[in-house]
Amino acid sequence: MRDPLSAVTDAFTAFVLGKVETTRLPVRTSTGQAQAVYLPTAAPGLGDSGVIIGREVYSGKGYIYDPFQLYGQQLPAPHWLVLGESGNGKSALEKTYVLRQLRFRDRQVVVLDAQGEDGVGEWNLIAQELGITPIRLDPMVANDSGIRLNPLDPSITTTGQLALLRTIIEVAMGHGLDERSGFALKVAHAYVVEHTTHRQPILTDIVERLRHPEAESAEAMNVDIDDVRAWGLDVALVLDRLVDGDLRGMFDGPTTVGIDLDAPLIVFDLSHIDRNSIAMPILMAIVGVWLEHTWIRPDRKKRIFLVEEAWHIINSPFVAQLFQRLLKFGRRLGLSFVAVVHHLSDVVDGAAAKEAAAILKMASTRTIYAQKADEARNTGRVLGLPRWAVEIIPTLTPGIAVWDVNGNVQVVKHLITERERPLVYTDRAMTEASEPSGDPDLEWETEQRAILIEQQMNGTSQSTVA
């Protein structure tokens, strides 16, 4: 029942003003109701610390991502898988991401650049811009001038050396080593490591010892020396490819002096290697293990290891096993592994399905560009994407991707500044586009600040609703 005094007041107001005041009830709502009314704001953001990727398509919010900031809170692992057909923006995303990460002084990046044009890798322009010379591995370069990485580098533990030698041989042979061949390799390696003191042991030493084993090796197993020689013959023939065959000049000598592992960006240019040959997974295995023992250190730096054509790693059970250890080891030392793959079917349907699944499981961040409907459904099934995301993947236009950050799924448009544009586009016609206008540094800082402010404002409005 209304208060009598209020009724009198309303009657007097109506007499004087000629109208009746209406009473409005206060609006009350909950966070769940607000999110149900405006779905694009329902999913929480990833915070405002890190590098700018672009904008969320549905809400317009700035999208900021950094695995080092999110690790331990929103991410169980800092590793990242990038998928999609060529021409949809994967390369541009990788390059802008690296350039923006390098604005932080405690970041360091290694790139395995397996693609290129005009005789150089895709990352050559960025390396030039930063004053860095790529490490170009090329079997066609003259012996005296080529870059070498030694699988028997003393910086790699003896256990690591033996594991790497086995991987090289198993990848080349297409199957695991049997016990006898494994024994011949083990005794040859042990002898070389023990008796080579005045210089770095090299693969030539292993090949020579496999062909001419020591009598002590046979006596230790109570077998004939000719048997030990026969056991190691196939192994010697495989390693001979790296010494005198088509892969010579890259791994058949001491590690080249002067490779700068303290540079902010280290680019291994693999563009001169046939990406469809057996040489590519062998090369990636050697580079990966060499980096594990020489580059990753227990310091304060955050490291990013980006691998293009990463299916060479994930699809080989022997190489994948080496990288699984690297990924587990790297989490403790601040390493984020970025694997770039065209098709998920390249890895999940191969001989290394078990190893591929293990590596994919460690990639808590997945970015998926446009794919055909069948491929999108397969990707969604393997990665556990929501149905709405699977349905939208075939409709995505270049530069737009589905991002799944440990279950936080958004559709994101990648933004590129005018200064970055000529550095990141693979297409030569795009590279030769018009020059940027204005001050590029000011332009970058202005855009960065605007997106950060917008992100913070959106975060504030969500807090208010809650």
Side-chain angles (χ1 to χ4, degrees):
M1 181 177 292
R2 294 188 61 191
D3 181 6
L5 180 59
S6 297
V8 172
T9 302
D10 291 344
F12 178 77
T13 302
F15 175 77
V16 174
L17 301 178
K19 61 181 180 180
V20 178
E21 289 289 326
T22 59
T23 302
R24 295 185 178 182
L25 297 175
V27 177
R28 295 182 175 87
T29 185
S30 67
T31 302
Q33 290 171 328
Q35 291 179 347
V37 171
Y38 190 50
L39 289 176
T41 64
L46 300 177
D48 55 10
S49 297
V51 300
I52 300 166
I53 300 299
R55 295 184 185 277
E56 296 176 10
V57 169
Y58 297 129
S59 70
K61 294 190 303 181
Y63 194 80
I64 298 173
Y65 170 78
D66 192 297
F68 305 110
Q69 297 287 342
L70 299 173
Y71 176 61
Q73 300 176 16
Q74 299 184 55
L75 280 180
H79 309 306
W80 179 17
L81 175 69
V82 183
L83 289 168
E85 300 275 2
S86 297
N88 282 286
K90 296 194 308 296
S91 292
L93 174 65
E94 302 158 28
K95 293 168 186 173
T96 55
Y97 175 75
V98 167
L99 287 170
R100 296 169 190 181
Q101 281 283 5
L102 290 178
R103 289 178 171 265
F104 297 97
R105 293 185 178 181
D106 65 340
R107 305 294 157 90
Q108 195 180 25
V109 182
V110 164
V111 175
L112 298 193
D113 182 5
Q115 304 187 70
E117 58 181 9
D118 299 337
V120 296
E122 274 196 13
W123 287 75
N124 191 63
L125 281 175
I126 290 178
Q128 286 182 348
E129 180 75 7
L130 299 178
I132 292 165
T133 302
I135 301 168
R136 185 164 292 119
L137 294 170
D138 186 354
M140 303 304 292
V141 173
N143 288 342
D144 294 337
S145 58
I147 299 292
R148 285 180 173 82
L149 297 179
N150 185 10
L152 302 179
D153 193 311
S155 61
I156 304 176
T157 64
T158 54
T159 302
Q161 291 175 13
L162 186 58
L164 181 54
L165 289 173
R166 288 186 65 102
T167 297
I168 293 169
I169 295 161
E170 289 171 335
V171 169
M173 297 176 70
H175 58 78
L177 281 180
D178 59 41
E179 294 298 326
R180 295 179 178 182
S181 296
F183 170 77
L185 176 64
K186 179 181 177 181
V187 296
H189 175 255
Y191 182 90
V192 168
V193 170
E194 181 181 354
H195 291 85
T196 308
T197 57
H198 59 287
R199 59 173 174 80
Q200 285 190 14
I202 57 177
L203 286 180
T204 304
D205 301 326
I206 300 290
V207 173
E208 180 66 19
R209 194 50 49 200
L210 285 167
R211 288 173 173 167
H212 305 286
E214 290 296 306
E216 292 82 357
S217 302
E219 292 173 1
M221 290 294 292
N222 195 27
V223 295
D224 190 89
I225 192 170
D226 289 334
D227 291 333
V228 178
R229 185 181 296 108
W231 297 347
L233 182 59
D234 287 344
V235 176
L237 291 174
V238 170
L239 293 180
D240 190 64
R241 285 190 66 187
L242 282 70
V243 175
D244 288 321
D246 56 326
L247 301 181
R248 68 184 183 279
M250 295 184 292
F251 312 111
D252 54 352
T255 299
T256 301
V257 176
I259 296 177
D260 184 8
L261 294 179
D262 293 318
L265 174 64
I266 305 166
V267 177
F268 286 87
D269 183 349
L270 316 181
S271 61
H272 286 250
I273 311 298
D274 181 359
R275 72 184 67 176
N276 295 315
S277 74
I278 201 65
M280 189 62 80
I282 290 175
L283 189 150
M284 288 190 172
I286 293 175
V287 172
V289 172
W290 185 77
L291 286 171
E292 176 185 351
H293 290 271
T294 59
W295 175 57
I296 301 174
R297 308 162 194 166
D299 55 20
R300 288 180 167 272
K301 285 190 176 181
K302 305 293 188 296
R303 292 179 169 85
I304 299 168
F305 186 14
L306 188 150
V307 181
E308 298 201 15
E309 300 287 340
W311 65 272
H312 289 292
I313 291 172
I314 304 175
N315 202 33
S316 167
F318 313 111
V319 182
Q321 288 168 11
L322 288 180
F323 271 79
Q324 281 182 51
R325 186 184 72 249
L326 176 63
L327 268 60
K328 292 177 182 178
F329 176 74
R331 285 191 294 180
R332 189 172 71 252
L333 297 177
L335 174 71
S336 173
F337 177 68
V338 184
V340 184
V341 181
H342 285 189
H343 306 286
L344 200 57
S345 58
D346 290 341
V347 296
V348 298
D349 297 331
K354 179 180 178 181
E355 290 78 7
I359 289 182
L360 292 176
K361 187 177 180 179
M362 285 189 275
S364 300
T365 300
R366 297 88 167 264
T367 300
I368 304 98
Y369 282 89
Q371 298 178 337
K372 296 177 180 178
D374 290 345
E375 184 76 17
R377 284 192 290 270
N378 182 56
T379 298
R381 176 182 57 81
V382 174
L383 300 183
L385 297 175
R387 189 171 72 175
W388 70 265
V390 173
E391 291 174 349
I392 204 173
I393 288 173
T395 70
L396 296 174
T397 55
I400 300 179
V402 169
W403 281 68
D404 176 8
V405 182
N406 195 34
N408 185 321
V409 183
Q410 297 283 357
V411 181
V412 179
K413 179 177 177 57
H414 178 213
L415 295 181
I416 305 172
T417 67
E418 288 302 317
R419 184 181 187 185
E420 295 168 330
R421 191 173 299 276
L423 296 176
V424 304
Y425 275 115
T426 303
D427 191 338
R428 182 67 64 191
M430 296 300 297
T431 302
E432 295 171 353
S434 59
E435 293 295 322
S437 59
D439 184 338
D441 285 323
L442 179 61
E443 177 190 89
W444 166 265
E445 298 298 339
T446 300
E447 181 174 343
Q448 185 181 48
R449 189 177 297 109
I451 294 180
L452 281 171
I453 291 172
E454 181 179 355
Q455 179 80 358
Q456 292 167 349
M457 290 177 66
N458 279 319
T460 303
S461 65
Q462 287 184 11
S463 299
T464 303
V465 171

